[in-house]
Amino acid sequence: YETIPPGKELPLNHKFTKMWRLRNTGNCEWNTDFILMCTKNCDLFKGGSTIPIAYRAIKPKEQVEVRVELIAPKDKELLNKKVTATWMIRVGGKIFGVQPDGKTPLSVTIKLVD
């Protein structure tokens, strides 16, 4: 579940919220040390470079909604182009993604319009 579908058209410099619903499929609790860390195009989207995943422990098999407040790029050279930013989960020195492979990042892809 996510709030901004891939390719959603948004105007330059538009504030928006991206939300994902994540399920802890591991064997350990996600505590407040688990964060989302922006890994691609962080400089294009304002906000959301590091986001706490939860404000309480998320047990295995539980879900949590993670919200990232962002501002679309304001660079006019990106008009009518798709722009993607990605996030990975970080805890301590370990970085991993979602899906069984542990390598798939969370992402937001928007098309910038006038």
Side-chain angles (χ1 to χ4, degrees):
Y1 172 80
E2 51 188 273
T3 54
I4 303 290
K8 169 101 175 155
E9 292 185 354
L10 293 176
L12 295 172
N13 211 37
H14 179 77
K15 291 181 182 182
F16 67 100
T17 301
K18 175 67 177 180
M19 185 180 74
W20 297 278
R21 186 173 294 149
L22 305 177
R23 180 181 303 277
N24 179 352
T25 60
N27 297 322
C28 68
E29 284 187 347
W30 292 352
N31 61 31
T32 55
D33 294 335
F34 283 69
I35 62 167
L36 287 184
M37 177 181 74
C38 188
T39 56
K40 178 182 174 189
N41 285 334
C42 310
D43 55 329
L44 293 179
F45 289 83
K46 299 292 183 221
S49 57
T50 57
I51 305 296
I53 287 181
Y55 297 98
R56 64 171 180 81
I58 306 301
K59 295 179 180 12
K61 297 189 172 65
E62 277 191 314
Q63 290 184 9
V64 63
E65 289 182 352
V66 180
R67 297 173 191 267
V68 180
E69 303 294 328
L70 297 167
I71 300 174
K74 60 182 178 180
D75 184 348
K76 290 185 181 196
E77 291 180 17
L78 297 173
L79 272 175
N80 299 311
K81 295 182 180 173
K82 288 186 178 180
V83 182
T84 300
T86 63
W87 289 261
M88 299 287 275
I89 298 169
R90 185 183 82 195
V91 61
K94 185 175 179 179
I95 297 171
F96 58 95
V98 295
Q99 305 300 331
D101 67 4
K103 297 178 183 177
T104 303
L106 293 168
S107 66
V108 61
T109 299
I110 60 171
K111 182 178 180 184
L112 294 166
V113 295
D114 209 0

